[in-house]
Amino acid sequence: MKFKIAKEKKVLVTGGTGFIAGWLIKQLVEAGVSVHATVRDPNDNDKVGHLLELSKKGPGKVILFKANLLETGSFDAAIKDCSIVFHTASPFVFKFNDPVKDFIDPALKGTQNVLAAVNSTTSVERVVLTSSCTAIYGDANECELAPNKTLNEEIWNTLNLNSFSQCMFLSKSYSRNQKDFINFRTILCSIGTCKHIQKIIYVLVTISTTSQWL
Protein backbone atom coordinates (compact mmCIF):
# COMPACT_ATOMS: atom_id res chain seq x y z
CA MET A 1 0.00 0.00 0.00
CA LYS A 2 1.47 3.34 -1.06
CA PHE A 3 1.62 6.05 1.59
CA LYS A 4 2.04 9.68 0.62
CA ILE A 5 3.63 12.21 2.97
CA ALA A 6 1.78 15.52 3.09
CA LYS A 7 4.31 18.32 2.56
CA GLU A 8 2.44 20.70 4.79
CA LYS A 9 2.85 18.37 7.79
CA LYS A 10 6.02 17.99 9.85
CA VAL A 11 8.03 14.77 10.12
CA LEU A 12 10.25 13.59 12.97
CA VAL A 13 13.44 11.63 12.27
CA THR A 14 15.32 10.31 15.32
CA GLY A 15 19.04 9.62 15.16
CA GLY A 16 19.44 12.44 12.66
CA THR A 17 23.21 12.07 12.28
CA GLY A 18 23.00 8.41 11.29
CA PHE A 19 23.62 7.02 7.80
CA ILE A 20 20.06 6.00 6.95
CA ALA A 21 18.61 9.07 8.68
CA GLY A 22 20.87 11.37 6.68
CA TRP A 23 19.61 10.08 3.34
CA LEU A 24 16.04 10.03 4.60
CA ILE A 25 16.24 13.64 5.75
CA LYS A 26 17.83 14.64 2.44
CA GLN A 27 14.95 13.17 0.43
CA LEU A 28 12.34 14.68 2.73
CA VAL A 29 13.86 18.17 2.56
CA GLU A 30 14.24 17.97 -1.22
CA ALA A 31 10.56 17.02 -1.38
CA GLY A 32 9.66 20.19 0.54
CA VAL A 33 8.98 18.60 3.94
CA SER A 34 9.85 20.24 7.27
CA VAL A 35 11.88 17.77 9.32
CA HIS A 36 12.39 17.68 13.08
CA ALA A 37 15.67 15.80 13.56
CA THR A 38 16.82 14.61 16.98
CA VAL A 39 20.56 14.50 17.65
CA ARG A 40 22.79 14.15 20.69
CA ASP A 41 24.27 17.64 20.37
CA PRO A 42 22.72 20.24 18.02
CA ASN A 43 25.82 22.41 18.48
CA ASP A 44 28.29 19.82 17.19
CA ASN A 45 28.79 21.19 13.70
CA ASP A 46 31.01 18.26 12.70
CA LYS A 47 28.03 15.96 13.19
CA VAL A 48 25.10 18.16 12.16
CA GLY A 49 26.67 20.53 9.63
CA HIS A 50 25.45 18.54 6.63
CA LEU A 51 21.89 18.66 7.96
CA LEU A 52 22.03 22.43 8.32
CA GLU A 53 23.33 22.70 4.76
CA LEU A 54 20.38 20.65 3.54
CA SER A 55 18.06 23.03 5.35
CA LYS A 56 19.65 26.03 3.63
CA LYS A 57 19.18 24.50 0.18
CA GLY A 58 15.52 23.61 0.80
CA PRO A 59 12.81 23.66 -0.29
CA GLY A 60 12.06 21.91 2.99
CA LYS A 61 13.90 22.61 6.22
CA VAL A 62 15.57 20.86 9.13
CA ILE A 63 15.03 21.82 12.77
CA LEU A 64 17.39 20.15 15.24
CA PHE A 65 16.35 18.92 18.69
CA LYS A 66 18.54 17.49 21.41
CA ALA A 67 17.39 14.07 22.59
CA ASN A 68 18.64 11.12 24.59
CA LEU A 69 17.28 7.62 24.04
CA LEU A 70 17.41 6.84 27.77
CA GLU A 71 15.82 10.08 28.95
CA THR A 72 12.08 10.03 29.60
CA GLY A 73 10.30 12.87 27.82
CA SER A 74 13.36 13.61 25.70
CA PHE A 75 11.39 13.40 22.44
CA ASP A 76 8.31 15.35 23.54
CA ALA A 77 9.41 18.70 22.12
CA ALA A 78 10.63 17.25 18.83
CA ILE A 79 7.44 15.31 18.18
CA LYS A 80 5.12 18.28 18.58
CA ASP A 81 2.88 18.77 15.52
CA CYS A 82 4.57 15.91 13.60
CA SER A 83 2.38 13.54 11.58
CA ILE A 84 5.02 10.88 10.87
CA VAL A 85 7.88 9.54 12.99
CA PHE A 86 10.89 7.72 11.54
CA HIS A 87 12.66 6.13 14.50
CA THR A 88 16.18 5.33 13.25
CA ALA A 89 18.15 6.07 16.44
CA SER A 90 19.83 3.00 17.96
CA PRO A 91 23.20 2.24 19.60
CA PHE A 92 26.11 1.09 17.46
CA VAL A 93 29.47 0.82 19.22
CA PHE A 94 32.36 -1.60 18.77
CA LYS A 95 33.78 -1.25 22.29
CA PHE A 96 31.55 -1.84 25.28
CA ASN A 97 31.70 -3.06 28.87
CA ASP A 98 28.10 -3.93 29.61
CA PRO A 99 26.02 -5.41 26.75
CA VAL A 100 22.72 -4.60 28.45
CA LYS A 101 23.65 -1.04 29.36
CA ASP A 102 25.42 -0.23 26.09
CA PHE A 103 23.16 -2.04 23.60
CA ILE A 104 19.90 -3.41 24.95
CA ASP A 105 18.79 -0.53 27.18
CA PRO A 106 19.26 2.27 24.61
CA ALA A 107 17.56 0.20 21.89
CA LEU A 108 14.61 -1.02 23.96
CA LYS A 109 14.09 1.94 26.29
CA GLY A 110 14.75 4.38 23.46
CA THR A 111 11.97 2.84 21.40
CA GLN A 112 9.68 2.86 24.41
CA ASN A 113 10.42 6.55 25.03
CA VAL A 114 9.70 7.44 21.41
CA LEU A 115 6.42 5.53 21.48
CA ALA A 116 5.52 7.20 24.78
CA ALA A 117 6.05 10.57 23.11
CA VAL A 118 3.89 9.46 20.19
CA ASN A 119 1.21 8.41 22.63
CA SER A 120 1.25 11.85 24.25
CA THR A 121 0.18 13.62 21.06
CA THR A 122 -2.71 13.27 18.64
CA SER A 123 -0.88 14.54 15.57
CA VAL A 124 1.09 11.36 14.73
CA GLU A 125 -0.51 9.14 12.10
CA ARG A 126 2.32 6.74 11.34
CA VAL A 127 5.51 5.49 13.01
CA VAL A 128 8.24 3.80 10.98
CA LEU A 129 10.82 1.88 13.00
CA THR A 130 14.03 1.05 11.12
CA SER A 131 15.17 -2.22 12.59
CA SER A 132 17.74 -4.53 10.97
CA CYS A 133 17.99 -7.87 9.24
CA THR A 134 20.07 -8.84 12.29
CA ALA A 135 16.83 -8.91 14.28
CA ILE A 136 15.92 -11.89 12.10
CA TYR A 137 19.22 -13.77 11.87
CA GLY A 138 22.85 -13.56 12.89
CA ASP A 139 24.83 -15.77 10.52
CA ALA A 140 24.10 -16.82 6.97
CA ASN A 141 24.15 -20.49 7.94
CA GLU A 142 20.98 -19.89 9.95
CA CYS A 143 19.15 -19.94 6.63
CA GLU A 144 19.61 -23.70 6.73
CA LEU A 145 17.46 -23.86 9.87
CA ALA A 146 14.68 -21.63 8.57
CA PRO A 147 11.47 -23.12 7.14
CA ASN A 148 12.11 -23.85 3.47
CA LYS A 149 15.52 -22.22 4.07
CA THR A 150 13.81 -18.83 3.81
CA LEU A 151 14.05 -16.00 6.35
CA ASN A 152 11.10 -13.67 6.94
CA GLU A 153 9.69 -11.26 9.54
CA GLU A 154 8.21 -14.12 11.58
CA ILE A 155 11.69 -15.36 12.51
CA TRP A 156 13.56 -13.94 15.51
CA ASN A 157 17.23 -13.81 16.40
CA THR A 158 17.77 -15.32 19.86
CA LEU A 159 21.55 -15.32 20.23
CA ASN A 160 23.31 -14.90 23.57
CA LEU A 161 25.18 -11.77 24.69
CA ASN A 162 28.79 -12.87 24.30
CA SER A 163 30.03 -10.85 21.34
CA PHE A 164 29.63 -7.46 19.67
CA SER A 165 27.56 -8.86 16.81
CA GLN A 166 25.28 -10.85 19.09
CA CYS A 167 24.64 -7.82 21.33
CA MET A 168 23.73 -5.72 18.31
CA PHE A 169 21.51 -8.48 16.91
CA LEU A 170 19.56 -8.83 20.16
CA SER A 171 19.18 -5.07 20.62
CA LYS A 172 17.60 -4.89 17.16
CA SER A 173 15.33 -7.83 17.97
CA TYR A 174 14.03 -6.18 21.15
CA SER A 175 13.44 -2.88 19.35
CA ARG A 176 11.64 -4.57 16.48
CA ASN A 177 9.44 -6.31 19.01
CA GLN A 178 7.67 -3.02 19.71
CA LYS A 179 5.86 -3.14 16.38
CA ASP A 180 3.98 -6.30 17.32
CA PHE A 181 2.00 -4.63 20.10
CA ILE A 182 -1.27 -4.78 18.20
CA ASN A 183 -1.04 -8.50 17.40
CA PHE A 184 1.24 -9.81 20.16
CA ARG A 185 0.44 -7.86 23.32
CA THR A 186 1.70 -10.66 25.58
CA ILE A 187 5.21 -10.51 24.11
CA LEU A 188 5.48 -6.81 24.80
CA CYS A 189 4.12 -7.09 28.33
CA SER A 190 6.88 -9.61 29.04
CA ILE A 191 9.51 -6.96 28.24
CA GLY A 192 7.66 -4.09 29.91
CA THR A 193 6.23 -2.20 26.97
CA CYS A 194 2.46 -2.23 27.44
CA LYS A 195 2.45 0.60 29.98
CA HIS A 196 4.09 2.84 27.40
CA ILE A 197 1.31 2.46 24.83
CA GLN A 198 -2.07 3.59 26.13
CA LYS A 199 -3.97 4.03 22.90
CA ILE A 200 -3.66 2.92 19.30
CA ILE A 201 -4.19 5.94 17.08
CA TYR A 202 -1.41 5.42 14.57
CA VAL A 203 0.01 2.83 12.19
CA LEU A 204 3.33 1.30 13.28
CA VAL A 205 5.56 -0.17 10.58
CA THR A 206 8.95 -1.88 11.01
CA ILE A 207 11.58 -2.11 8.28
CA SER A 208 14.41 -4.62 8.77
CA THR A 209 17.22 -3.11 6.72
CA THR A 210 20.34 -4.90 5.56
CA SER A 211 23.73 -3.96 7.04
CA GLN A 212 25.14 -0.56 6.09
CA TRP A 213 28.92 -0.41 5.81
CA LEU A 214 31.00 2.50 4.54
Side-chain angles (χ1 to χ4, degrees), residues 147-162:
N148 299 318
K149 298 183 179 181
T150 302
L151 297 167
N152 57 47
E153 66 275 9
E154 295 181 357
I155 297 174
W156 293 88
N157 190 329
T158 57
L159 295 177
N160 294 318
L161 301 178
N162 57 15

Side-chain angles (χ1 to χ4, degrees), residues 3 14 33 51 95 97 100 108 125-126 141 165 190:
F3 182 79
T14 69
V33 178
L51 299 178
K95 295 181 179 180
N97 296 315
V100 174
L108 175 58
E125 302 170 2
R126 175 170 295 230
N141 60 10
S165 58
S190 69

Side-chain angles (χ1 to χ4, degrees), residues 126-145:
R126 175 170 295 230
V127 177
V128 179
L129 167 64
T130 55
S131 181
S132 168
C133 62
T134 59
I136 299 174
Y137 75 103
D139 299 314
N141 60 10
E142 291 180 32
C143 294
E144 294 290 328
L145 304 176

